[in-house]
Amino acid sequence: TDRVRVRIARLLPANVKDRPGWAADLHAAYEHLKIPHAAETYCATLAVVEQESTYQADPVVPNLPAIVRKELDRRAGKYGIPKLIVATALKKSSPDGRSYDERIAALKTEKQLNALFEDMSGELPFGKQLLADYNPVRTAGPMQVSIEFAERHAQEKAYPYPVVKTLRDEVFTRRGGLYFGTAILLDYPAPYDDVVYRFADFNAGRYASRNAAFQAALNRSSGKSLALDGDLLRYDDDEPSDASSQVESALVSMGAALNLSAREIRRDLLLEKSAGFGTTTLYERVFALADRKTGQPLPRQAMPRIALSSPKIIRKLTTEWFATRVAERYKRCLARAD
């Protein structure tokens, strides 16, 4: 075990601080998740860490004060709270002794923002109304893991470390961020022959690359030009919507060719975020039609075409850009294993 941790430490870039600590936390995550200990798997996680945070457990977010003030103004307008009242309330002292204005001006990391949000929602007279159960921090830690994913994963598989405050706070730690980041990246079966598609899934959602390939096959078999975004159904608050997506409508219009009813098509599409979708009748028949039309087997993996959007993103970026950058870091990491 000590030898494995030493090998992991050698995979880290030379300028990383506390290499033994990173290696120990990553090794523990792999042990708990039962991920194979190999340079290829470790480098997959480390490449994402480097891309997302450059090995910072709580990375600095540029322009965070401006992002927060813009969101407060937007939500004040939404709830009809005059700006003067908000400005006056922000001059109030917060639990740490500074005013809320001072804390906003000093914001550098999402962990600080999370603590600020918790105090504001509990202390300010309009806090609960203004924030309305909305925490602007959706991702956290060295791998920028979705907090929603972490909470869902912990319901399915017990979190292996003591929770000092809340599970949300654990995502901000190095050990928690590496554990949940490795889980979302590697703790699921994926039908890919190139790790770049796992990196795309990390950014766009599990099985997005498989589903984008399915959309490409559907375009070929139906003659349509649907977006290759990896989303097959519409969703409301993360639940499948009753309203048909363009993908579902296209499939229903092909019902006779597929020999599937609308109910059977919906039944299979509901599995789009699981491994099971790849073995459904719908999946197999769409690819069979497309392969016959093309005269050769189509790829079962494709890069999702998604433009990234976030208050933290100031350039035009895509899932393909993210996956390609991480893949480059992955190759450099593997080179250090030689």
Side-chain angles (χ1 to χ4, degrees):
T1 299
D2 288 341
R3 287 198 299 272
V4 174
R5 286 197 283 262
V6 169
R7 288 202 298 271
I8 298 169
R10 284 203 295 266
L11 297 174
L12 296 162
N15 62 347
V16 173
K17 297 178 181 178
D18 190 17
R19 292 154 66 92
W22 281 96
D25 283 341
L26 190 53
H27 180 269
Y30 274 53
E31 282 286 293
H32 291 305
L33 292 166
K34 295 180 171 53
I35 304 295
H37 298 275
E40 290 77 9
T41 52
Y42 279 117
C43 280
T45 296
L46 293 174
V48 174
V49 172
E50 187 174 2
Q51 176 65 34
E52 292 285 34
S53 70
T54 58
Y55 294 95
Q56 299 174 77
D58 186 26
V60 171
V61 179
N63 304 315
L64 194 52
I67 292 171
V68 172
R69 292 190 186 281
K70 182 178 179 181
E71 180 61 20
L72 286 175
D73 287 344
R74 187 187 74 79
R75 294 186 71 79
K78 176 181 177 181
Y79 290 101
I81 301 173
K83 287 187 178 181
L84 180 60
I85 292 179
V86 175
T88 301
L90 292 179
K91 297 186 185 303
K92 171 182 167 68
S93 291
S94 73
D96 77 354
R98 294 177 295 169
S99 71
Y100 286 104
D101 254 337
E102 290 172 328
R103 286 177 66 179
I104 291 173
L107 283 174
K108 295 187 183 307
T109 72
E110 290 174 327
K111 186 175 182 178
Q112 294 171 347
L113 175 56
N114 186 64
L116 173 67
F117 169 86
E118 297 296 334
D119 287 345
M120 288 176 65
S121 61
E123 297 282 332
L124 293 182
F126 53 80
K128 284 187 168 41
Q129 179 190 7
L130 176 62
L131 300 171
D133 297 324
Y134 172 84
N135 191 321
V137 179
R138 307 291 181 86
T139 59
M143 295 180 73
Q144 289 294 283
V145 178
S146 160
I147 292 170
E148 181 185 0
F149 167 82
E151 292 172 341
R152 190 169 63 247
H153 187 272
Q155 293 174 349
E156 300 168 357
K157 184 178 292 187
Y159 182 59
Y161 305 116
V163 177
V164 179
K165 291 178 64 178
T166 67
L167 192 69
R168 183 184 187 88
D169 291 301
E170 284 294 302
V171 184
F172 288 97
T173 67
R174 185 174 65 191
R175 71 178 186 185
L178 288 174
Y179 173 83
F180 287 116
T182 298
I184 196 171
L185 177 66
L186 298 174
D187 193 22
Y188 72 106
Y192 308 137
D193 58 18
D194 190 327
V195 72
V196 71
Y197 295 105
R198 273 199 186 266
F199 299 145
D201 280 9
F202 183 89
N203 180 261
R206 284 181 173 176
Y207 297 108
S209 299
R210 179 201 61 191
N211 293 350
F214 177 82
Q215 289 170 316
L218 176 58
N219 284 344
R220 187 61 60 92
S221 57
S222 67
K224 298 185 180 297
S225 299
L226 303 173
L228 307 186
D229 58 9
D231 283 331
L232 307 185
L233 291 170
R234 291 180 183 271
Y235 286 83
D236 294 326
D237 295 326
D238 294 323
E239 292 297 325
S241 170
D242 291 335
S244 293
S245 64
Q246 291 184 327
V247 168
E248 185 173 13
S249 296
L251 289 165
V252 170
S253 72
M254 295 173 59
L258 295 169
N259 194 24
L260 290 170
S261 67
R263 183 185 62 80
E264 290 170 325
I265 289 169
R266 163 62 66 133
R267 175 202 65 199
D268 289 356
L269 287 176
L270 287 171
L271 297 174
E272 68 156 312
K273 297 184 183 298
S274 71
F277 180 67
T279 62
T280 61
T281 303
L282 175 64
Y283 179 92
E284 292 172 352
R285 290 182 182 175
V286 166
F287 269 106
L289 285 175
D291 290 347
R292 282 202 299 272
K293 196 165 187 177
T294 309
Q296 60 184 357
L298 290 178
R300 267 50 173 177
Q301 55 196 16
M303 189 60 63
R305 306 296 177 181
I306 301 174
L308 306 184
S309 176
S310 164
K312 295 181 288 186
I313 296 175
I314 57 177
R315 294 183 289 154
K316 288 185 177 180
L317 304 179
T318 65
T319 290
E320 183 172 17
W321 172 87
F322 174 87
T324 302
R325 286 291 297 272
V326 176
E328 291 169 356
R329 298 182 190 280
Y330 172 77
K331 291 175 184 176
R332 291 199 291 270
C333 177
L334 285 180
R336 293 192 287 270
D338 297 337

